[in-house]
PDB file of all heavy atoms in Angstrom:
ATOM      1  N   GLN G  76      90.379  52.833  47.999  1.00 73.00           N
ATOM      2  CA  GLN G  76      90.348  54.171  47.433  1.00 73.00           C
ATOM      3  C   GLN G  76      90.105  55.223  48.514  1.00 73.00           C
ATOM      4  O   GLN G  76      90.745  56.281  48.520  1.00 73.00           O
ATOM      5  CB  GLN G  76      89.266  54.268  46.362  1.00 73.00           C
ATOM      6  CG  GLN G  76      89.669  53.666  45.022  1.00 73.00           C
ATOM      7  CD  GLN G  76      88.688  54.053  43.940  1.00 73.00           C
ATOM      8  OE1 GLN G  76      87.484  53.869  44.085  1.00 73.00           O
ATOM      9  NE2 GLN G  76      89.177  54.590  42.848  1.00 73.00           N
ATOM     10  N   LEU G  77      89.167  54.938  49.419  1.00 80.00           N
ATOM     11  CA  LEU G  77      88.889  55.886  50.493  1.00 80.00           C
ATOM     12  C   LEU G  77      90.101  56.060  51.398  1.00 80.00           C
ATOM     13  O   LEU G  77      90.429  57.181  51.804  1.00 80.00           O
ATOM     14  CB  LEU G  77      87.673  55.424  51.303  1.00 80.00           C
ATOM     15  CG  LEU G  77      86.319  55.523  50.594  1.00 80.00           C
ATOM     16  CD1 LEU G  77      85.227  54.904  51.453  1.00 80.00           C
ATOM     17  CD2 LEU G  77      85.984  56.980  50.280  1.00 80.00           C
ATOM     18  N   ALA G  78      90.755  54.943  51.728  1.00 80.00           N
ATOM     19  CA  ALA G  78      91.972  55.027  52.547  1.00 80.00           C
ATOM     20  C   ALA G  78      93.047  55.832  51.818  1.00 80.00           C
ATOM     21  O   ALA G  78      93.773  56.630  52.433  1.00 80.00           O
ATOM     22  CB  ALA G  78      92.485  53.632  52.874  1.00 80.00           C
ATOM     23  N   GLY G  79      93.145  55.629  50.513  1.00 75.00           N
ATOM     24  CA  GLY G  79      94.107  56.383  49.728  1.00 75.00           C
ATOM     25  C   GLY G  79      93.808  57.869  49.726  1.00 75.00           C
ATOM     26  O   GLY G  79      94.721  58.698  49.812  1.00 75.00           O
ATOM     27  N   CYS G  80      92.537  58.217  49.649  1.00 79.00           N
ATOM     28  CA  CYS G  80      92.160  59.634  49.688  1.00 79.00           C
ATOM     29  C   CYS G  80      92.530  60.261  51.027  1.00 79.00           C
ATOM     30  O   CYS G  80      93.016  61.396  51.081  1.00 79.00           O
ATOM     31  CB  CYS G  80      90.659  59.782  49.432  1.00 79.00           C
ATOM     32  SG  CYS G  80      90.179  59.408  47.731  1.00 79.00           S
ATOM     33  N   LEU G  81      92.293  59.532  52.105  1.00 83.00           N
ATOM     34  CA  LEU G  81      92.666  60.040  53.428  1.00 83.00           C
ATOM     35  C   LEU G  81      94.171  60.245  53.521  1.00 83.00           C
ATOM     36  O   LEU G  81      94.645  61.237  54.095  1.00 83.00           O
ATOM     37  CB  LEU G  81      92.182  59.079  54.518  1.00 83.00           C
ATOM     38  CG  LEU G  81      90.671  58.968  54.704  1.00 83.00           C
ATOM     39  CD1 LEU G  81      90.338  57.913  55.761  1.00 83.00           C
ATOM     40  CD2 LEU G  81      90.070  60.315  55.097  1.00 83.00           C
ATOM     41  N   TYR G  82      94.929  59.312  52.940  1.00 79.00           N
ATOM     42  CA  TYR G  82      96.389  59.451  52.967  1.00 79.00           C
ATOM     43  C   TYR G  82      96.836  60.640  52.127  1.00 79.00           C
ATOM     44  O   TYR G  82      97.759  61.373  52.517  1.00 79.00           O
ATOM     45  CB  TYR G  82      97.060  58.176  52.471  1.00 79.00           C
ATOM     46  CG  TYR G  82      98.573  58.249  52.519  1.00 79.00           C
ATOM     47  CD1 TYR G  82      99.244  58.179  53.735  1.00 79.00           C
ATOM     48  CD2 TYR G  82      99.316  58.403  51.358  1.00 79.00           C
ATOM     49  CE1 TYR G  82     100.632  58.261  53.787  1.00 79.00           C
ATOM     50  CE2 TYR G  82     100.700  58.479  51.402  1.00 79.00           C
ATOM     51  CZ  TYR G  82     101.350  58.407  52.620  1.00 79.00           C
ATOM     52  OH  TYR G  82     102.710  58.500  52.668  1.00 79.00           O
ATOM     53  N   LEU G  83      96.196  60.853  50.979  1.00 78.00           N
ATOM     54  CA  LEU G  83      96.547  61.995  50.152  1.00 78.00           C
ATOM     55  C   LEU G  83      96.242  63.304  50.874  1.00 78.00           C
ATOM     56  O   LEU G  83      97.008  64.273  50.779  1.00 78.00           O
ATOM     57  CB  LEU G  83      95.787  61.955  48.822  1.00 78.00           C
ATOM     58  CG  LEU G  83      96.179  60.852  47.832  1.00 78.00           C
ATOM     59  CD1 LEU G  83      95.396  61.007  46.541  1.00 78.00           C
ATOM     60  CD2 LEU G  83      97.670  60.876  47.552  1.00 78.00           C
ATOM     61  N   LEU G  84      95.124  63.347  51.589  1.00 85.00           N
ATOM     62  CA  LEU G  84      94.808  64.538  52.381  1.00 85.00           C
ATOM     63  C   LEU G  84      95.880  64.770  53.441  1.00 85.00           C
ATOM     64  O   LEU G  84      96.327  65.904  53.664  1.00 85.00           O
ATOM     65  CB  LEU G  84      93.436  64.385  53.040  1.00 85.00           C
ATOM     66  CG  LEU G  84      92.223  64.414  52.101  1.00 85.00           C
ATOM     67  CD1 LEU G  84      90.952  64.077  52.874  1.00 85.00           C
ATOM     68  CD2 LEU G  84      92.080  65.781  51.433  1.00 85.00           C
ATOM     69  N   TYR G  85      96.299  63.688  54.101  1.00 83.00           N
ATOM     70  CA  TYR G  85      97.343  63.789  55.119  1.00 83.00           C
ATOM     71  C   TYR G  85      98.666  64.229  54.503  1.00 83.00           C
ATOM     72  O   TYR G  85      99.363  65.111  55.036  1.00 83.00           O
ATOM     73  CB  TYR G  85      97.496  62.435  55.811  1.00 83.00           C
ATOM     74  CG  TYR G  85      98.704  62.323  56.722  1.00 83.00           C
ATOM     75  CD1 TYR G  85      98.766  63.023  57.924  1.00 83.00           C
ATOM     76  CD2 TYR G  85      99.787  61.523  56.361  1.00 83.00           C
ATOM     77  CE1 TYR G  85      99.877  62.920  58.749  1.00 83.00           C
ATOM     78  CE2 TYR G  85     100.898  61.411  57.185  1.00 83.00           C
ATOM     79  CZ  TYR G  85     100.942  62.112  58.380  1.00 83.00           C
ATOM     80  OH  TYR G  85     102.035  62.012  59.189  1.00 83.00           O
ATOM     81  N   LEU G  86      99.021  63.628  53.349  1.00 79.00           N
ATOM     82  CA  LEU G  86     100.274  63.965  52.689  1.00 79.00           C
ATOM     83  C   LEU G  86     100.257  65.418  52.222  1.00 79.00           C
ATOM     84  O   LEU G  86     101.247  66.150  52.359  1.00 79.00           O
ATOM     85  CB  LEU G  86     100.509  63.028  51.501  1.00 79.00           C
ATOM     86  CG  LEU G  86     101.939  62.914  50.961  1.00 79.00           C
ATOM     87  CD1 LEU G  86     102.885  62.414  52.034  1.00 79.00           C
ATOM     88  CD2 LEU G  86     101.962  61.982  49.757  1.00 79.00           C
ATOM     89  N   GLY G  87      99.122  65.855  51.675  1.00 82.00           N
ATOM     90  CA  GLY G  87      98.995  67.244  51.255  1.00 82.00           C
ATOM     91  C   GLY G  87      99.141  68.202  52.421  1.00 82.00           C
ATOM     92  O   GLY G  87      99.788  69.252  52.305  1.00 82.00           O
ATOM     93  N   TRP G  88      98.551  67.831  53.548  1.00 85.00           N
ATOM     94  CA  TRP G  88      98.685  68.663  54.749  1.00 85.00           C
ATOM     95  C   TRP G  88     100.141  68.714  55.205  1.00 85.00           C
ATOM     96  O   TRP G  88     100.628  69.787  55.609  1.00 85.00           O
ATOM     97  CB  TRP G  88      97.815  68.102  55.865  1.00 85.00           C
ATOM     98  CG  TRP G  88      97.987  68.834  57.166  1.00 85.00           C
ATOM     99  CD1 TRP G  88      97.395  70.003  57.543  1.00 85.00           C
ATOM    100  CD2 TRP G  88      98.816  68.442  58.267  1.00 85.00           C
ATOM    101  NE1 TRP G  88      97.807  70.369  58.801  1.00 85.00           N
ATOM    102  CE2 TRP G  88      98.679  69.439  59.268  1.00 85.00           C
ATOM    103  CE3 TRP G  88      99.663  67.360  58.503  1.00 85.00           C
ATOM    104  CZ2 TRP G  88      99.359  69.367  60.477  1.00 85.00           C
ATOM    105  CZ3 TRP G  88     100.349  67.291  59.709  1.00 85.00           C
ATOM    106  CH2 TRP G  88     100.187  68.278  60.678  1.00 85.00           C
ATOM    107  N   LEU G  89     100.860  67.595  55.140  1.00 80.00           N
ATOM    108  CA  LEU G  89     102.272  67.584  55.506  1.00 80.00           C
ATOM    109  C   LEU G  89     103.083  68.508  54.598  1.00 80.00           C
ATOM    110  O   LEU G  89     103.952  69.254  55.063  1.00 80.00           O
ATOM    111  CB  LEU G  89     102.838  66.171  55.411  1.00 80.00           C
ATOM    112  CG  LEU G  89     102.618  65.220  56.588  1.00 80.00           C
ATOM    113  CD1 LEU G  89     103.332  63.905  56.331  1.00 80.00           C
ATOM    114  CD2 LEU G  89     103.090  65.822  57.899  1.00 80.00           C
ATOM    115  N   PHE G  90     102.808  68.441  53.296  1.00 77.00           N
ATOM    116  CA  PHE G  90     103.530  69.291  52.355  1.00 77.00           C
ATOM    117  C   PHE G  90     103.346  70.764  52.722  1.00 77.00           C
ATOM    118  O   PHE G  90     104.301  71.537  52.712  1.00 77.00           O
ATOM    119  CB  PHE G  90     103.020  69.044  50.931  1.00 77.00           C
ATOM    120  CG  PHE G  90     103.655  67.872  50.242  1.00 77.00           C
ATOM    121  CD1 PHE G  90     104.020  66.737  50.943  1.00 77.00           C
ATOM    122  CD2 PHE G  90     103.858  67.880  48.879  1.00 77.00           C
ATOM    123  CE1 PHE G  90     104.595  65.649  50.307  1.00 77.00           C
ATOM    124  CE2 PHE G  90     104.429  66.803  48.221  1.00 77.00           C
ATOM    125  CZ  PHE G  90     104.798  65.687  48.944  1.00 77.00           C
ATOM    126  N   ILE G  91     102.105  71.131  53.009  1.00 83.00           N
ATOM    127  CA  ILE G  91     101.809  72.529  53.313  1.00 83.00           C
ATOM    128  C   ILE G  91     102.321  72.909  54.701  1.00 83.00           C
ATOM    129  O   ILE G  91     102.906  73.974  54.893  1.00 83.00           O
ATOM    130  CB  ILE G  91     100.289  72.781  53.205  1.00 83.00           C
ATOM    131  CG1 ILE G  91      99.824  72.564  51.758  1.00 83.00           C
ATOM    132  CG2 ILE G  91      99.936  74.198  53.662  1.00 83.00           C
ATOM    133  CD1 ILE G  91      98.324  72.596  51.573  1.00 83.00           C
ATOM    134  N   ARG G  92     102.126  72.012  55.652  1.00 79.00           N
ATOM    135  CA  ARG G  92     102.502  72.303  57.044  1.00 79.00           C
ATOM    136  C   ARG G  92     104.006  72.492  57.186  1.00 79.00           C
ATOM    137  O   ARG G  92     104.474  73.368  57.921  1.00 79.00           O
ATOM    138  CB  ARG G  92     102.026  71.154  57.945  1.00 79.00           C
ATOM    139  CG  ARG G  92     102.513  71.228  59.394  1.00 79.00           C
ATOM    140  CD  ARG G  92     101.893  72.384  60.136  1.00 79.00           C
ATOM    141  NE  ARG G  92     102.305  72.408  61.520  1.00 79.00           N
ATOM    142  CZ  ARG G  92     103.471  72.911  61.955  1.00 79.00           C
ATOM    143  NH1 ARG G  92     104.327  73.422  61.082  1.00 79.00           N
ATOM    144  NH2 ARG G  92     103.774  72.904  63.240  1.00 79.00           N
ATOM    145  N   HIS G  93     104.791  71.661  56.492  1.00 71.00           N
ATOM    146  CA  HIS G  93     106.244  71.705  56.629  1.00 71.00           C
ATOM    147  C   HIS G  93     106.916  72.332  55.408  1.00 71.00           C
ATOM    148  O   HIS G  93     108.076  72.032  55.124  1.00 71.00           O
ATOM    149  CB  HIS G  93     106.800  70.299  56.860  1.00 71.00           C
ATOM    150  CG  HIS G  93     106.304  69.659  58.121  1.00 71.00           C
ATOM    151  ND1 HIS G  93     106.677  70.097  59.365  1.00 71.00           N
ATOM    152  CD2 HIS G  93     105.439  68.626  58.326  1.00 71.00           C
ATOM    153  CE1 HIS G  93     106.083  69.361  60.294  1.00 71.00           C
ATOM    154  NE2 HIS G  93     105.327  68.467  59.687  1.00 71.00           N
ATOM    155  N   ALA G  94     106.193  73.178  54.682  1.00 70.00           N
ATOM    156  CA  ALA G  94     106.770  73.845  53.514  1.00 70.00           C
ATOM    157  C   ALA G  94     108.010  74.631  53.923  1.00 70.00           C
ATOM    158  O   ALA G  94     107.975  75.434  54.852  1.00 70.00           O
ATOM    159  CB  ALA G  94     105.746  74.777  52.876  1.00 70.00           C
ATOM    160  N   GLY G  95     109.107  74.374  53.237  1.00 64.00           N
ATOM    161  CA  GLY G  95     110.355  75.049  53.548  1.00 64.00           C
ATOM    162  C   GLY G  95     111.221  74.317  54.545  1.00 64.00           C
ATOM    163  O   GLY G  95     112.365  74.694  54.781  1.00 64.00           O
ATOM    164  N   GLY G  96     110.685  73.241  55.148  1.00 61.00           N
ATOM    165  CA  GLY G  96     111.467  72.444  56.083  1.00 61.00           C
ATOM    166  C   GLY G  96     112.416  71.532  55.329  1.00 61.00           C
ATOM    167  O   GLY G  96     112.375  71.406  54.110  1.00 61.00           O
ATOM    168  N   SER G  97     113.266  70.843  56.060  1.00 51.00           N
ATOM    169  CA  SER G  97     114.271  69.994  55.422  1.00 51.00           C
ATOM    170  C   SER G  97     113.774  68.595  55.140  1.00 51.00           C
ATOM    171  O   SER G  97     114.446  67.815  54.498  1.00 51.00           O
ATOM    172  CB  SER G  97     115.528  69.905  56.308  1.00 51.00           C
ATOM    173  OG  SER G  97     115.201  69.327  57.558  1.00 51.00           O
ATOM    174  N   ALA G  98     112.589  68.233  55.660  1.00 46.00           N
ATOM    175  CA  ALA G  98     112.043  66.897  55.404  1.00 46.00           C
ATOM    176  C   ALA G  98     110.591  66.875  55.799  1.00 46.00           C
ATOM    177  O   ALA G  98     110.095  67.767  56.449  1.00 46.00           O
ATOM    178  CB  ALA G  98     112.810  65.828  56.190  1.00 46.00           C
ATOM    179  N   LEU G  99     109.903  65.806  55.396  1.00 45.00           N
ATOM    180  CA  LEU G  99     108.502  65.621  55.772  1.00 45.00           C
ATOM    181  C   LEU G  99     108.417  65.043  57.175  1.00 45.00           C
ATOM    182  O   LEU G  99     107.816  63.993  57.390  1.00 45.00           O
ATOM    183  CB  LEU G  99     107.810  64.682  54.774  1.00 45.00           C
ATOM    184  CG  LEU G  99     107.566  65.231  53.389  1.00 45.00           C
ATOM    185  CD1 LEU G  99     107.003  64.130  52.504  1.00 45.00           C
ATOM    186  CD2 LEU G  99     106.635  66.406  53.423  1.00 45.00           C
ATOM    187  N   GLN G 100     109.026  65.708  58.112  1.00 44.00           N
ATOM    188  CA  GLN G 100     109.121  65.176  59.455  1.00 44.00           C
ATOM    189  C   GLN G 100     108.974  66.310  60.443  1.00 44.00           C
ATOM    190  O   GLN G 100     109.105  67.480  60.097  1.00 44.00           O
ATOM    191  CB  GLN G 100     110.476  64.483  59.670  1.00 44.00           C
ATOM    192  CG  GLN G 100     110.747  63.370  58.678  1.00 44.00           C
ATOM    193  CD  GLN G 100     112.199  62.953  58.702  1.00 44.00           C
ATOM    194  OE1 GLN G 100     113.028  63.539  59.367  1.00 44.00           O
ATOM    195  NE2 GLN G 100     112.510  61.913  57.966  1.00 44.00           N
TER     196      GLN G 100
END
Side-chain angles (χ1 to χ4, degrees):
Q76 281 192 308
L77 289 174
C80 290
L81 292 177
Y82 182 73
L83 291 183
L84 291 173
Y85 170 70
L86 199 60
W88 175 82
L89 278 184
F90 276 35
I91 296 172
R92 172 68 177 81
H93 298 291
S97 61
L99 289 175
Q100 303 166 354

